[in-house]
Amino acid sequence: MGPLSRRDFALATLSALTTAGCGAAATGTAEIKRGGGERSDGGRSGGGRSGTKGATGAPGARAVTEMRGVWMATVENRDWPSRTGLSAAEQEKELIAHLDRAVRDRLNTVILQVRPTADALWPSPYEPWSQFLTGTQGRDPGWDPLGTAVREAHARGLQLHAWFNPYRIANHTDPGLLTPAHPARVHPDWAVPYGGKLYYNPGLPAVRAFVQRAMLDAVARYPVDAVHFDDYFYPYPEDGAAFADDEAYERYRGAFTSRADWRRDNIDRLVREMAAGIKRVRPGTRFGISPFGVWRNASTDPRGSDTDAGAQTYDDLYADTRTWVRENWIDYIAPQLYWEIGASGADYGTLLDWWAGVAEGSGTRLYIGEALYRAGAAGADGRPEAWQDPAELSRHLTLAARRPQVGGHIFFAAGDVANDPIGAMRRVVADHYTRPASPPR
């Protein structure tokens, strides 16, 4: 056999890695990030900004390196494709338009959701083609969306981060609606219905090994710049409903006497193992996570933030995001600070300071997730009037520029960048992005 290509070597490494791993003991609105407890859906520590006035792009400022990112959600066709059933050429045209818009706004990173519901936007040997492409799960769309996205993003000087949802299977609870060969139908014991959705059970080692194989396949095939998780680990709790993992807990609890601690350990294992897998499969590819913005309220834990948020990642999602940063298990964290400045219960500035303190000296870069989708959305839905002011989001960046731990911002989401109903994104660009910036590497 002749020398292996980089891709073949990566795939061979992936096969060896995952074989070993197997032996080891929102709807469209639902995908919108949670802020203020509503159910809608870094700098010095890792090399953030360089240059004196680079964050504002003021005349005479030196070149900057900072994250200027945008999420592009595919679940329920939230951002792209605009609807199911478009031709391959139409889908690609829309994708290119989003990339070109990012360049025009002087953004430098696109975070593309490539595994929204235990499916794939690439020809995966593990999971079916996403229904959000053709309208039918498993139907070949006639092109390679992820491969094209990586190529076209890089051609424009953009980084492409591959965004995966590890455990969400479907936005319904009927396995019969999945393709016959779907892993959740082949292994029905892997799936747990909860809150009107279907999830893989994070407490099963076989599940953890499988979802890593499925995600690392994309890393092996394509030169993505980073792997990205968002805020979905164990599902957000539903009042009066229990996540049915009794059997898994009894079988795999080991020495744990607390189910909450055991669940957190399951998520910690996923994070650590995924980080190691990425480094083995494609060295140099980074790993970032964008959690809900509150780790714990100070009333729950003195190490927490001075907030009164309705959800806490440590207690509700079993995601110990603070530890991931402090232990440098991930390359970057992008907490979703989807509140306004001065918000009661969860003030943007308070959380900004808290996360800056957590990232300080950790080696994990800190980027801030920004709620562009809320701009112009006040009024009928009861959202604060602050989001009717086009300058609110720009003020966030001005405030963050005073904290050297903050290495940039990511905006939710691409559809809102395109529509920009009250000009909030245009204001950000005018106030802060007058010059291009290099993406962090």
Side-chain angles (χ1 to χ4, degrees):
M1 180 183 294
L4 291 173
S5 69
R6 178 183 176 89
R7 177 178 177 276
D8 289 339
F9 174 79
L11 287 168
T13 303
L14 170 62
S15 177
L17 166 67
T18 53
T19 299
C22 285
T27 63
T29 55
E31 189 60 27
I32 295 175
K33 313 297 184 179
R34 293 172 168 82
E38 69 182 75
R39 299 299 303 277
S40 60
D41 218 12
R44 185 180 302 165
S45 59
R49 294 184 178 91
S50 62
T52 51
K53 295 183 180 178
T56 62
R62 290 179 288 170
V64 298
T65 296
E66 67 175 353
M67 169 61 74
R68 298 179 182 176
V70 60
W71 280 287
M72 191 185 303
T74 57
V75 68
E76 304 294 346
N77 302 98
R78 199 271 178 199
D79 295 314
W80 174 83
S82 61
R83 58 182 175 86
T84 60
L86 296 175
S87 69
E90 290 169 326
Q91 290 178 16
E92 183 173 358
K93 181 179 179 181
E94 287 189 353
L95 174 65
I96 296 302
H98 280 295
L99 299 179
D100 286 343
R101 187 172 293 106
V103 172
R104 287 198 299 271
D105 285 346
R106 302 184 189 90
L107 305 180
N108 55 34
T109 301
V110 172
I111 301 173
L112 176 63
Q113 190 177 35
V114 299
R115 186 178 179 268
T117 53
D119 50 11
L121 269 73
W122 74 96
S124 168
Y126 299 103
E127 294 177 309
W129 281 106
S130 177
Q131 71 185 69
F132 305 121
L133 295 170
T134 64
T136 302
Q137 189 177 70
R139 179 179 294 172
D140 190 330
W143 68 304
D144 181 355
L146 177 52
T148 302
V150 172
R151 183 184 69 247
E152 295 295 337
H154 288 173
R156 288 161 174 76
L158 297 167
Q159 289 198 353
L160 196 290
H161 295 198
W163 168 13
F164 302 91
N165 293 90
Y167 293 126
R168 183 172 59 199
I169 298 173
N171 287 330
H172 57 75
T173 59
D174 184 0
L177 298 177
L178 305 174
T179 59
H182 195 288
R185 293 187 68 176
V186 176
H187 303 279
D189 56 309
W190 287 6
V192 179
Y194 185 80
K197 298 180 174 62
L198 205 59
Y199 297 91
Y200 282 127
N201 188 343
L204 298 177
V207 163
R208 192 170 67 246
F210 171 76
V211 298
Q212 289 179 63
R213 283 200 301 276
M215 294 184 289
L216 288 171
D217 178 71
V219 181
R221 291 172 183 270
Y222 307 102
V224 297
D225 297 288
V227 166
H228 185 93
F229 290 173
D230 63 8
D231 53 321
Y232 291 90
F233 296 99
Y234 279 88
Y236 281 84
E238 299 281 341
D239 290 341
F243 188 80
D245 59 357
D246 290 355
E247 184 176 343
Y249 179 52
E250 291 304 318
R251 184 173 181 181
Y252 298 109
R253 63 190 294 179
F256 284 101
T257 58
S258 161
R259 190 180 308 220
D261 289 342
W262 171 74
R263 286 177 174 175
R264 274 186 288 274
D265 184 67
N266 292 331
I267 303 303
D268 284 349
R269 286 172 182 263
L270 171 73
V271 171
R272 291 197 306 269
E273 291 167 5
M274 192 67 187
I278 293 166
K279 287 180 172 62
R280 287 175 179 151
V281 170
R282 190 174 291 275
T285 298
R286 286 163 293 145
F287 183 25
I289 297 179
S290 177
F292 177 74
V294 175
W295 172 71
R296 298 187 98 182
N297 297 317
S299 59
T300 304
D301 187 323
R303 297 172 298 171
S305 52
D306 185 15
T307 52
D308 185 24
Q312 302 171 95
T313 64
Y314 184 92
D315 302 278
D316 297 316
L317 309 181
Y318 306 98
D320 190 0
T321 54
R322 181 181 182 276
T323 291
W324 304 345
V325 174
R326 297 304 303 168
E327 297 297 325
N328 198 26
W329 292 352
I330 57 179
D331 297 299
Y332 72 80
I333 195 153
Q336 298 166 20
L337 303 193
Y338 289 175
W339 298 269
E340 67 275 13
I341 295 171
S344 62
D347 168 48
Y348 178 90
T350 297
L351 282 163
L352 184 70
D353 286 342
W354 188 86
W355 280 104
V358 169
E360 177 71 41
S362 69
T364 302
R365 298 190 185 199
L366 172 63
Y367 313 133
I368 304 301
E370 300 287 352
L372 176 62
Y373 76 95
R374 301 190 80 185
D381 61 2
R383 286 178 179 162
E385 286 299 322
W387 292 102
Q388 285 294 85
D389 184 349
E392 172 67 25
L393 211 58
S394 180
R395 286 193 286 266
H396 290 195
L397 273 68
T398 299
L399 195 61
R402 302 169 187 166
R403 289 144 179 87
Q405 298 86 359
V406 177
H409 303 261
I410 306 173
F411 300 93
F412 192 83
D416 306 281
V417 170
N419 297 328
D420 199 19
I422 62 170
M425 193 66 201
R426 290 193 298 276
R427 181 67 178 265
V428 166
V429 173
D431 291 350
H432 302 275
Y433 295 165
T434 59
R435 296 188 178 192
S438 300
R441 298 185 184 278

